[in-house]
Amino acid sequence: MMQRVNHLPLASHHSHVMSSLDPAHHRQDWFSCIKNVLLKSEPQNIAARSMCFQSILNESIAHLNTQLGIAPLSKHEYYKCEINPQRHLKFLIDWPGLRISNSPQTKREYEKKAKNWLNGRRAPNYAKTLFPWFVEEAEHFCEKTATKLFARNAEQRRVYYQVLIHKVLAQLLGASVSLNEQAKKAPFFCKNSIERKGKLKEILQSYAMDHQYAQGFPSCFEEGVDYFDKKSNRFFAEYRQKFICGGGGGGGSMQSTGGGRVVHGELLETLPALARPRPTSMPPEPMIKTDVFNGKREHSHDVVAEQDASTMSDPISFYGGLGVGVSGESNTSSGASLKHESHHS
């Protein structure tokens, strides 16, 4: 008598083999693995930016104080950047994975598409949270430094603050930073975060209310660097005229350059007080602490040597020594270029 052949195990085995070959069977595993990789690498990128920011802020203050003959800050007074990356990565933490319509067939393809997605979402999201946070940090520390140096002279405090904050903005727009797994340096601010509408662009525009095309400012990195450098130099000339050449008592014949930052419709002229409240609703999380004196710097500056009295007669070249080009490299010819451009402004 012939035995009955049971084909079910063969069918089950065939189904198992097919499912193991089906990319959809592995996509969830790919997603979990690659998302964990991104959640480890992106905080490192934020830390690299914070290191660059810390260097720019401390070096800008040190350079300005040297040029003005002001005693340098003590080591414990230097700015130290303490940032919570998780506050700026909600878009990545909540990412549900690639859409089914964009389904890759291999893990390598999934990783490539996931990184492309992150590259596309980084600029609009950082323009809302991370980059404004850096500007706010710069504002508060510049104000703190100005108040410490000139606690009894509101006008001197105001002008010093304006020189410093505009120079820092120029440096940030011109800086570049080495990021994780990238051979080339990337701009400190993502290109699309300054060219498209968003919170960062609005903040930069609030410092450029006297710009001819304020609503479109800045159209590119170069325009922002050039504008803020020139504005810082004008405030520097005002400071020298009032408090160095004019006797230091707030006298002198030069009128205020104006053009301070507009906050809530008021021009910050008498005091560099900041009106934007600091966010307090986020829960505390472990901080990434960076110290410019202990870590590798992601950019370089050439600090100009002390110049003689004949050089000091030209305030633009006198303060033009601290310059970072769009590539992030030291720009030793910035003083000359600013001097040339000033004839046309």
Side-chain angles (χ1 to χ4, degrees):
M1 185 175 66
M2 295 181 62
Q3 293 184 350
R4 183 179 179 183
V5 179
N6 189 349
H7 295 287
L8 289 178
L10 293 175
S12 176
H13 175 72
H14 177 73
S15 174
H16 174 73
V17 172
M18 292 301 293
S19 64
S20 65
L21 296 175
D22 183 3
H25 180 74
H26 296 289
R27 283 189 195 116
Q28 187 60 37
D29 293 335
W30 297 345
F31 162 68
S32 300
C33 177
I34 292 169
K35 184 175 181 179
N36 286 335
V37 171
L38 298 180
L39 286 172
K40 290 180 180 178
S41 63
E42 200 58 22
Q44 294 174 0
N45 291 337
I46 292 178
R49 281 189 162 93
S50 71
M51 194 70 154
C52 178
F53 170 73
Q54 178 176 286
S55 295
I56 286 175
L57 191 51
N58 284 325
E59 290 185 12
S60 296
I61 293 172
H63 179 83
L64 176 58
N65 288 355
T66 297
Q67 302 306 317
L68 295 178
I70 298 172
L73 300 180
S74 60
K75 186 172 181 178
H76 75 274
E77 293 177 315
Y78 289 130
Y79 174 78
K80 294 180 177 63
C81 188
E82 299 181 353
I83 190 167
N84 184 345
Q86 285 74 23
R87 284 182 52 187
H88 311 288
L89 291 176
K90 189 176 185 304
F91 72 101
L92 178 56
I93 294 172
D94 295 342
W95 179 51
L98 298 173
R99 296 178 181 176
I100 301 232
S101 59
N102 195 28
S103 296
Q105 300 302 307
T106 65
K107 181 180 179 180
R108 186 172 182 178
E109 185 183 353
Y110 195 104
E111 182 177 12
K112 182 179 179 180
K113 289 188 175 183
K115 289 182 177 180
N116 287 340
W117 170 86
L118 179 58
N119 289 337
R121 298 308 304 160
R122 188 180 284 120
N125 282 280
Y126 284 177
K128 295 177 184 176
T129 61
L130 179 63
F131 296 152
W133 184 88
F134 282 126
V135 177
E136 288 177 355
E137 283 287 291
E139 290 172 335
H140 284 284
F141 194 75
C142 289
E143 180 189 21
K144 178 181 177 181
T145 302
T147 301
K148 183 178 298 184
L149 294 174
F150 311 110
R152 298 182 179 180
N153 192 326
E155 178 65 4
Q156 194 168 7
R157 182 166 69 245
R158 178 193 71 83
V159 181
Y160 177 92
Y161 173 86
Q162 296 292 355
V163 176
L164 183 57
I165 191 62
H166 286 93
K167 178 56 67 174
V168 170
L169 291 176
Q171 297 291 298
L172 292 176
L173 283 167
S176 59
V177 59
S178 297
L179 300 180
N180 184 54
E181 296 182 353
Q182 290 190 16
K184 295 182 179 180
K185 289 187 175 183
F188 180 85
F189 291 137
C190 297
K191 183 178 179 182
N192 286 341
S193 68
I194 69 159
E195 293 183 354
R196 298 180 181 178
K197 291 183 179 181
K199 186 174 180 181
L200 175 63
K201 193 176 182 75
E202 291 174 359
I203 292 174
L204 296 176
Q205 288 174 350
S206 70
Y207 281 100
M209 300 303 291
D210 57 346
H211 193 276
Q212 184 178 4
Y213 305 105
Q215 292 185 344
F217 177 87
S219 61
C220 61
F221 288 118
E222 291 87 347
E223 182 186 27
V225 171
D226 180 69
Y227 174 83
F228 288 129
D229 260 335
K230 287 182 177 179
K231 198 163 187 178
S232 178
N233 289 335
R234 293 201 302 270
F235 279 112
F236 182 82
E238 179 182 350
Y239 185 98
R240 288 189 64 248
Q241 180 67 26
K242 286 184 174 181
F243 308 110
I244 298 178
C245 302
S253 59
M254 179 175 285
Q255 298 296 317
S256 171
T257 58
R261 183 171 174 206
V262 176
V263 178
H264 299 318
E266 296 182 2
L267 190 63
L268 300 183
E269 282 292 331
T270 57
L271 286 173
L274 303 176
R276 284 204 311 279
R278 299 298 303 278
T280 57
S281 59
M282 299 300 296
E285 296 188 33
M287 299 290 188
I288 291 180
K289 296 186 178 182
T290 57
D291 187 340
V292 69
F293 296 96
N294 298 329
K296 179 181 177 182
R297 295 186 178 184
E298 297 294 343
H299 70 295
S300 64
H301 296 303
D302 287 338
V303 180
V304 295
E306 198 169 352
Q307 291 139 325
D308 58 23
S310 63
T311 306
M312 289 178 62
S313 64
D314 183 351
I316 294 180
S317 62
F318 176 63
Y319 188 54
L322 182 63
V324 175
V326 174
S327 65
E329 300 301 327
S330 183
N331 182 3
T332 56
S333 63
S334 61
S337 63
L338 283 175
K339 192 187 299 183
H340 172 74
E341 291 166 357
S342 67
H343 294 302
H344 303 284
S345 58

